[in-house]
Amino acid sequence: MTAYSLGPLLYEGKAKRVYATDQPDLVAVEFKDEATAFNAEKRASLAGKGERNCRISALVFEWLEARGVSTHYLGVEGDRWMLVRPVKVVPIEVVVRNVAAGSLCRQLPIAPGTPLDPPLLDLYYKDDALGDPLLTEARLERLQLVSSGQLQAISELAMAVNRGLRELFGSVDLELVDFKIELGFAADGRLLLADEISPDTCRLWDRRISDQSDRIMDKDRFRQDLGGVVEAYGEVLKRVQGVCPQPRVYR
Ligand code: TMP
């Protein structure tokens, strides 16, 4: 018996479906097995990915909540469903980079693997049709997406998430190279961490492995055709489960 029933599909993204429920303050998220990269030019269905990402995300949200980060997360149900508070998503992809990789190394003369201290905060305008362009402060101001106070709150939240994630992943020998988060405003105006945090949205390198391809434990395995994507996500889940309690079941 669950305390809600599923309503209409509100939104279908590349990796998740979001449904209304019969409760106005509750939204249900289904994690899909579909994987996309390079703005969905590359696609595949990877059996078991949705379930692993749902579980990892749930444990990560609970870990962050325990460290003072407010999130949309309320609980899980079954293998691939997460219950969350509805938010108005801020159309900004917030990326924090601890080690140079990915687009940073394609766009700037920075060698992959270069430590970034202090971490680099990059903001992108969330719009697939435009290819999620990098934002500057002036562009942000021009678009009036957020106030300067909200921007300050967003960067503080991103850095708090980074500290929490480095603590979590570091404790299980996973190096947090970089990650992307999305934020949203709840009905009461609170800024909440939203979306998901999983190997789809983080770069994680296994500190127990020195080989530069073999150590990749995230969606770069899919982007670079390295194989073993779901197996790597499963290993991330296993390690995180080793230091986290069971996720709470939404009732
Ligand atoms: P990037 O190096 O491609 O800019 O990616 C930085 C981080 O953001 C990396 O951990 C992967 C994540 N990311 C997403 O979650 N979604 C995206 O659409 C992109 C481009 C990156």
Side-chain angles (χ1 to χ4, degrees):
M1 257 289 279
T2 51
Y4 66 90
S5 48
L6 220 51
L9 178 69
L10 297 175
Y11 170 79
E12 177 154 10
K14 286 176 282 202
K16 295 183 291 299
R17 290 187 195 94
V18 181
Y19 292 85
T21 71
D22 58 351
Q23 297 175 29
D25 55 352
L26 188 71
V27 164
V29 180
E30 182 189 13
F31 284 68
K32 304 195 293 185
D33 283 342
E34 275 64 44
T36 67
F38 313 118
N39 209 2
E41 273 173 38
K42 178 173 177 156
R43 294 170 174 275
S45 182
L46 304 172
K49 182 185 80 100
E51 182 184 329
R52 285 163 181 75
N53 277 355
C54 181
R55 287 171 183 275
I56 293 166
S57 251
L59 295 175
V60 167
F61 282 138
E62 291 188 23
W63 176 277
L64 293 173
E65 286 267 358
R67 281 150 187 82
V69 176
S70 301
T71 81
H72 71 159
Y73 171 82
L74 292 169
V76 289
E77 197 212 326
D79 290 339
R80 57 173 68 230
W81 287 87
M82 185 179 282
L83 286 308
V84 303
R85 293 184 185 87
V87 294
K88 191 170 182 298
V89 174
V90 178
I92 297 176
E93 299 203 340
V94 179
V95 171
V96 178
R97 302 176 191 274
N98 296 301
V99 176
S103 69
L104 182 72
C105 302
R106 290 195 298 275
Q107 294 168 357
L108 294 176
I110 301 178
T114 306
L116 304 168
D117 187 17
L120 197 62
L121 179 71
D122 281 337
L123 305 181
Y124 299 85
Y125 182 49
K126 184 175 160 59
D127 186 320
D128 282 343
L130 297 175
D132 299 339
L134 183 66
L135 289 165
T136 62
E137 241 175 84
R139 287 181 181 193
L140 257 171
E141 208 170 300
R142 182 68 184 79
L143 290 174
Q144 294 198 317
L145 297 176
V146 285
S147 68
S148 60
Q150 287 170 340
L151 184 59
Q152 181 67 25
I154 288 171
S155 51
E156 281 167 18
L157 198 142
M159 289 306 154
V161 170
N162 190 40
R163 284 192 296 276
L165 292 183
R166 286 179 81 168
E167 188 197 342
L168 170 60
F169 291 127
S171 75
V172 294
D173 285 343
L174 294 171
E175 173 148 23
L176 179 65
V177 173
D178 57 28
F179 64 91
K180 183 267 297 182
I181 52 173
E182 296 189 24
L183 307 167
F185 289 103
D188 62 6
R190 277 198 309 154
L191 181 66
L192 301 181
L193 177 62
D195 193 47
E196 67 177 285
I197 298 185
S198 72
D200 267 10
T201 62
C202 300
R203 283 197 174 91
L204 297 165
W205 291 348
D206 189 349
R207 288 193 178 130
R208 298 172 191 167
I209 296 176
S210 56
D211 182 88
Q212 295 200 0
S213 294
D214 292 350
R215 70 181 176 182
I216 294 172
M217 304 294 279
D218 56 71
K219 200 161 99 175
D220 273 349
R221 297 204 72 81
F222 174 67
R223 296 189 188 96
Q224 299 175 26
D225 288 321
L226 297 173
V229 182
V230 175
E231 290 76 5
Y233 286 33
E235 176 64 20
V236 172
L237 173 60
K238 202 175 92 189
R239 290 197 199 176
V240 170
Q241 281 173 328
V243 291
C244 291
Q246 286 284 316
R248 62 177 174 261
V249 176
Y250 186 86
R251 285 181 218 284

